[in-house]
Amino acid sequence: MLTFAAVMTLSASAAQENEPSNGQYYRLFTPLTFYHSVAGDQLSITSGNPDEVSQAIDQALMHVYLNRPDLVEVTQTEQEESGELLQEIIEQPIEQVTTMVEQANPIPEEPEAEPVEVVVEKPKFWTRKGDGYLQFMQNYISSNWYKGGESNYSAVGRLTLEANYDNKSKWKWDNKLEMKLGFQTSRTDTVHKFKTHEDLFRYTGKVGLQAAKRWYYTLQVLAYTQFARGFKSNNVKTFSDFMSPFNFNVGLGMEYKVEAFNKKLTGTVNLSPLAINYRYVDRTALASSFGVKTPKHTHSLTDFGSQVTAGLEWQMNDVVKWKTRFYAFTSYHRAELEWENEFSLRVSKYISANLFLFPRFDDSNKWDEDLGYWQFKEYSSLGFTYNF
């Protein structure tokens, strides 16, 4: 009995002899079917199909039927019920029809990629800004005015400069320089043609290391004095001067970054449980007026205590802005507190009106019969303003 390998050998030899294929091998490559003719030819006493290849195929199929009947998937009867094979497909060779075109469409050429210049800018860690104004106030009262009073003129100018460093990761360094100077004249003051009513030269520096989203470990330095001598009406005595006093504060603590009302309210609040206040008075005669009550000819005083500072800016609407600064220091035997408030009303791009309110508490000064240790200053003005 021929095996499947023998059948394939016969088919290969037939191919080498260039015998045309008539589809007689299809039974070897279709799902295994039980053909009645195979069993009939093998069991018949007469010779069956005289074709040697067909006999080999029948013997191979019969061998599978007897040894591996589990591989049979369908019978000839079931196959006939499902449909008949087209005899012309089996007997006639399959010819492939090809068509030729005159010319194929050319493949579009893709343009070569042009070199692109990539510019990498260095991150800007420094931000600089500033603002200033020059404003005036005039008040005239005739000598026979029924309620009394006096005429006066005043002017005040302010310049604020900031240079802040932030590496967008952990560190920041803020620097702020404030300069403010104002003069006034009055007819009743026969001693001074003009005198200062606003005088400030102040530097604030902070180095911060981020601890949380809005919290920073901070070392803060605060130094301030004034430009010119301070007088009172019809009095030749000097009440304050440049470096009289001069205050230098160093505080170590935490700072919170404020952002509220869609970032219309911004600023910082600094808490320094460890703080040092150094006060220097160049004019010895003024030392006692500023709390330096140590032995004679001593110019300075050093206190250890705690400190709180806050600086906020609130853009209430398109024309009204509020700036405030709060400062408090206590050495547990004296206390100093300042609260500066400036309300700005923008009339146009370069013109604004300002209202300045400044309450202050300092128990190192002399006791006042009316206000005690409290002091208060207020003024309003109108003039030019510029931001840059």
Side-chain angles (χ1 to χ4, degrees), residues 331-344:
S331 62
Y332 309 110
H333 66 268
R334 75 175 184 89
E336 183 178 345
L337 184 148
E338 297 178 348
W339 187 22
E340 302 176 30
N341 296 274
E342 182 177 277
F343 296 88
S344 176

Side-chain angles (χ1 to χ4, degrees), residues 114-164:
E114 298 182 357
V116 178
E117 183 179 357
V118 179
V119 179
V120 180
E121 295 185 357
K122 184 179 180 180
K124 294 182 179 180
F125 296 140
W126 284 95
T127 57
R128 299 171 179 86
K129 63 179 180 178
D131 63 82
Y133 62 72
L134 179 62
Q135 300 190 332
F136 305 91
M137 184 175 67
Q138 181 267 338
N139 181 28
Y140 173 78
I141 299 178
S142 65
S143 58
N144 62 345
W145 183 251
Y146 76 106
K147 286 188 177 181
E150 62 175 341
S151 302
N152 60 75
Y153 302 89
S154 64
V156 61
R158 189 199 71 183
L159 178 63
T160 302
L161 303 174
E162 293 187 44
N164 302 323

Side-chain angles (χ1 to χ4, degrees), residues 51-94:
D51 186 4
E52 183 180 359
V53 175
S54 297
Q55 289 181 5
I57 295 175
D58 292 345
Q59 292 177 8
L61 290 175
M62 191 65 186
H63 178 74
V64 175
Y65 296 161
L66 297 175
N67 293 279
R68 292 296 305 273
D70 57 299
L71 297 179
V72 178
E73 296 185 7
V74 66
T75 65
Q76 183 177 352
T77 303
E78 294 174 345
Q79 190 180 67
E80 292 174 352
E81 290 178 355
S82 62
E84 296 182 354
L85 292 174
L86 295 177
Q87 192 65 25
E88 61 270 16
I89 295 179
I90 299 174
E91 296 178 352
Q92 296 180 2
I94 299 174

Side-chain angles (χ1 to χ4, degrees), residues 126-365:
W126 284 95
T127 57
R128 299 171 179 86
K129 63 179 180 178
D131 63 82
Y133 62 72
L134 179 62
Q135 300 190 332
F136 305 91
M137 184 175 67
Q138 181 267 338
N139 181 28
Y140 173 78
I141 299 178
S142 65
S143 58
N144 62 345
W145 183 251
Y146 76 106
K147 286 188 177 181
E150 62 175 341
S151 302
N152 60 75
Y153 302 89
S154 64
V156 61
R158 189 199 71 183
L159 178 63
T160 302
L161 303 174
E162 293 187 44
N164 302 323
Y165 173 85
D166 188 350
N167 67 354
K168 311 300 181 181
S169 178
K170 289 291 184 181
W171 291 96
K172 72 170 187 173
W173 179 24
D174 297 340
N175 298 273
K176 185 177 183 180
L177 182 63
E178 300 169 272
M179 295 171 284
K180 186 184 293 187
L181 188 61
F183 295 94
Q184 67 178 6
T185 65
S186 59
R187 294 182 179 180
T188 58
D189 188 356
T190 58
V191 178
H192 309 286
K193 290 184 178 181
F194 60 87
K195 54 186 177 290
T196 60
H197 69 92
E198 187 69 35
D199 196 350
L200 176 67
F201 183 77
R202 181 169 60 207
Y203 166 78
T204 305
K206 292 179 288 185
V207 177
L209 173 63
Q210 190 173 25
K213 183 178 181 180
R214 295 188 180 181
W215 284 97
Y216 290 82
Y217 301 108
T218 306
L219 176 66
Q220 177 177 262
V221 175
L222 178 63
Y224 58 96
T225 184
Q226 61 189 65
F227 291 98
R229 290 189 293 175
F231 301 103
K232 291 185 179 181
S233 296
N234 296 311
N235 194 328
V236 296
K237 179 183 176 181
T238 299
F239 288 84
S240 62
D241 199 356
F242 177 72
M243 300 299 289
S244 295
F246 167 75
N247 287 276
F248 183 82
N249 288 36
V250 178
L252 182 63
M254 298 285 291
E255 182 174 271
Y256 180 75
K257 186 178 181 180
V258 178
E259 288 184 358
F261 306 132
N262 294 326
K263 295 186 178 181
K264 292 185 177 181
L265 176 62
T266 59
T268 59
V269 177
N270 187 280
L271 308 174
S272 301
L274 299 177
I276 302 175
N277 174 251
Y278 172 78
R279 176 173 293 178
Y280 175 81
V281 182
D282 185 63
R283 289 176 174 263
T284 308
L286 300 179
S288 60
S289 299
F290 296 102
V292 182
K293 300 177 181 180
T294 51
K296 192 176 181 180
H297 305 301
T298 300
H299 294 268
S300 62
L301 172 68
T302 303
D303 285 332
F304 297 88
S306 301
Q307 178 178 282
V308 177
T309 58
L312 301 174
E313 182 176 315
W314 185 11
Q315 187 70 48
M316 298 182 179
N317 50 47
D318 294 338
V319 296
V320 180
K321 180 190 293 185
W322 172 50
K323 289 184 178 181
T324 183
R325 172 186 174 269
F326 180 81
Y327 166 78
F329 174 83
T330 177
S331 62
Y332 309 110
H333 66 268
R334 75 175 184 89
E336 183 178 345
L337 184 148
E338 297 178 348
W339 187 22
E340 302 176 30
N341 296 274
E342 182 177 277
F343 296 88
S344 176
L345 175 64
R346 182 174 289 276
V347 180
S348 66
K349 184 177 180 180
Y350 298 109
I351 298 178
S352 67
N354 285 2
L355 173 64
F356 187 77
L357 305 175
F358 187 4
R360 184 176 187 274
F361 178 90
D362 188 355
D363 59 6
S364 64
N365 286 342

